Amino acid sequence: MSRLVMKFGGTSVANIERIRNVARHVKRETDAGHDVAVVVSAMSGKTDELVGWVREAAPLYDASEYDAIVASGELVTAGLLAIVLKDMGLKARSWQGWQIPLHTDDAHGAARIVGVDGSKIIARFADREIAVVAGFQGLHAASGRVTTLGRGGSDTSAVALAAAINADRCDIYTDVDGVYTTDPRVVPRARRLERVAFEEMLEMASLGAKVLQVRSVEVAMVHKVKLIVRSSFDDPADPKLGTLICDEEDIVESQVVTGIAFSKDEAQITLRRVADKPGVAAAIFMPLAEANINVDMIIQVVSDDTTTTDITFTVPAAEYARAKAILEERRGQINYALLQGAQDVVKVSAIGIGMRSHSGVAARAFKALAEKGVNIRAITTSEIKFSVLIDAAYTELAVRTLHSLYGLDAAI
Ligand code: ASP
Ligand code: MG
């Protein structure tokens, strides 16, 4: 008999009627003979509300209490779904993270899973009992405290559970019917992808696609969990296939570029006329690293006189003020003439495993963007992606231009 993990996000469990709809999807799979573990998120908006209360209570709150509070949203939906399933005549029970247990480290608010014990859930499959698991939460065993896995963490709970119970598949049900070539709200001709390689999905998620938590893709890749993204709003009696996230070898026809992602979550910092000598980059980036600020794109310009240079880089928008303060504090040591910043920037990226074997992929984009009058502020490339930093006002134009350029537009 095959085992299945079915994960439902916040919009899919937003109210009791939708929870009933979720239960119909679950019933279909159990009726087909699968052993099922369901992982649920909190009702949509619930986690935001809880986080808001925590912040209102005290600006410098205790992170372990934060977790105790925000984990409660998932407890409610797990219990409700179990009740609805039982009401439909199925065997089910809810599981909280600590009951499984799903073990994590103690990084409250963004804990990492260190191990999941699937044995109790598996034992109950013998009795055809459906496990309804509260996503997003775990247990730090040494302190005995509840932890959470970071926003969007239920995806990771589902994938880790699938690995632990050796599930044949992990279906991520959401409010869209799969992974798209880009955000359909920006490009109406975006297409649903049949298959995406793990590595591509990892880049897409890291570079701004919101459909899966990045960590969940990492876990799926490491444990080779067969992952499907599909819609919970399909008729439970007539389910559609969605997008399969799989190994590169399982991609039959691959395109050079698979998707275009964008992220407005970036801010640019430029240091003008920094001394052009060894140790300067370290003097800038070490203090930022020590403050846990993640620097992404970096460009250094060698100036004519070769005594000074300009360095531009990006940091997460939320860290912009902190990064600026750190650099201003060290102005004397770093010795730059001017610090300039920009927050109205966006990073647009093209991703595809086909880039490994094709040259000139990024060059074509630079040309196409130039023809549209889009100025590029910074560029980074890696084996299977490239990113450009541009003014936020050009987001739609740039995404559409690249989407067409690489032949991703759906035929009409
Ligand atoms: N409810 C949590 C959040 O909103 C976890 C999740 O939905 O995956 O971040
Ligand atoms: Mg989510």
Side-chain angles (χ1 to χ4, degrees):
M1 195 168 311
S2 65
R3 284 185 193 148
L4 210 60
V5 169
M6 304 173 76
K7 184 261 169 180
F8 294 89
T11 47
S12 307
V13 294
N15 54 47
I16 304 295
E17 197 33 55
R18 290 199 184 161
I19 290 176
R20 277 195 226 290
N21 189 58
V22 163
R24 288 182 204 114
H25 282 287
V26 175
K27 183 173 187 324
R28 179 192 66 236
E29 302 293 3
T30 9
D31 286 353
H34 303 297
D35 286 330
V36 178
V38 190
V39 175
V40 287
S41 291
M43 290 178 174
S44 63
K46 196 71 209 169
T47 310
D48 287 339
E49 182 183 44
L50 296 167
V51 171
W53 288 342
V54 171
R55 293 202 175 126
E56 197 183 325
L60 290 174
Y61 49 80
D62 176 337
S64 51
E65 298 305 345
Y66 165 96
D67 277 351
I69 295 157
V70 300
S72 66
E74 275 72 11
L75 303 183
V76 175
T77 42
L80 288 170
L81 178 58
I83 288 177
V84 171
L85 288 167
K86 285 188 219 191
D87 189 50
M88 288 167 68
L90 298 164
K91 278 192 192 157
R93 73 152 272 188
S94 66
W95 293 84
Q96 308 191 351
W98 64 272
Q99 293 170 324
I100 298 174
L102 184 149
H103 292 289
T104 72
D105 63 13
D106 64 351
H108 285 286
R112 284 173 81 93
I113 298 176
V114 296
V116 184
D117 179 355
S119 61
K120 288 191 217 153
I121 287 177
I122 291 172
R124 285 160 180 264
F125 282 156
D127 205 22
R128 300 247 60 217
E129 187 180 271
I130 301 164
V132 186
V133 175
F136 184 48
Q137 57 181 262
L139 169 72
H140 176 244
S143 62
R145 304 229 48 179
V146 170
T147 54
T148 64
L149 309 179
R151 299 306 305 270
S154 299
D155 294 335
T156 306
S157 310
V159 175
L161 184 64
I165 66 170
N166 209 358
D168 299 79
R169 224 170 66 212
C170 179
D171 287 356
I172 307 279
Y173 285 82
T174 177
D175 49 10
V176 289
D177 61 356
V179 178
Y180 276 70
T181 47
T182 193
D183 186 339
R185 283 168 300 189
V186 171
V187 182
R189 291 175 71 182
R191 282 187 290 117
R192 185 176 58 79
L193 293 157
E194 298 285 329
R195 286 167 187 240
V196 183
F198 283 123
E199 268 186 79
E200 292 174 323
M201 193 64 237
L202 198 57
E203 292 286 7
M204 286 191 208
S206 321
L207 295 168
K210 300 237 160 46
V211 65
L212 287 172
Q213 197 198 33
V214 178
R215 187 83 188 104
S216 71
V217 187
E218 283 170 9
V219 178
M221 194 161 139
V222 170
H223 296 281
K224 298 220 177 286
V225 174
K226 193 172 165 194
L227 204 60
I228 290 180
V229 175
R230 56 196 299 182
S231 173
S232 70
F233 296 124
D234 284 346
D235 178 357
D238 181 24
K240 304 287 186 306
L241 280 177
T243 299
L244 172 68
I245 298 151
C246 57
D247 267 335
E248 220 176 297
E249 300 89 71
D250 300 325
I251 308 270
V252 248
E253 41 156 344
S254 99
Q255 247 155 337
V256 179
V257 170
T258 306
I260 311 293
F262 59 94
S263 157
K264 295 191 169 151
D265 190 27
E266 312 278 323
Q268 177 191 329
I269 293 178
T270 298
L271 298 178
R272 298 268 179 221
R273 294 191 292 287
V274 186
D276 192 9
K277 60 172 196 226
V280 169
I284 297 169
F285 297 114
M286 280 306 286
L288 296 175
E290 276 155 20
N292 270 323
I293 296 176
N294 209 347
V295 173
D296 180 20
M297 313 173 104
I298 302 177
I299 46 173
Q300 176 176 340
V301 185
V302 180
S303 66
D304 292 344
D305 61 10
T306 65
T307 59
T308 63
T309 181
D310 291 348
I311 295 186
T312 292
F313 55 92
T314 62
V315 295
E319 306 286 9
Y320 176 67
R322 220 154 57 86
K324 243 176 83 175
I326 290 172
L327 295 169
E328 271 158 7
E329 226 170 77
R330 287 172 179 70
R331 182 166 184 165
Q333 292 130 271
I334 304 169
N335 202 0
Y336 55 86
L338 189 67
L339 186 157
Q340 290 169 324
Q343 287 178 278
D344 47 356
V345 291
V346 64
K347 182 171 68 175
V348 178
S349 311
I351 300 115
I353 41 176
M355 279 189 212
R356 283 202 198 108
S357 46
H358 289 78
S359 57
V361 182
R364 284 170 61 203
F366 304 154
K367 183 161 176 279
L369 292 173
E371 279 165 10
K372 293 274 157 78
V374 179
N375 185 36
I376 299 172
R377 291 163 166 263
I379 300 168
T380 48
T381 62
S382 77
E383 226 195 348
I384 66 160
K385 68 123 207 274
F386 69 84
S387 305
V388 294
L389 189 74
I390 59 169
D391 287 351
Y394 292 107
T395 310
E396 295 196 0
L397 178 63
V399 173
R400 282 185 191 157
T401 302
L402 299 187
H403 198 266
S404 307
L405 178 70
Y406 296 116
L408 299 176
D409 289 348
I412 12 173

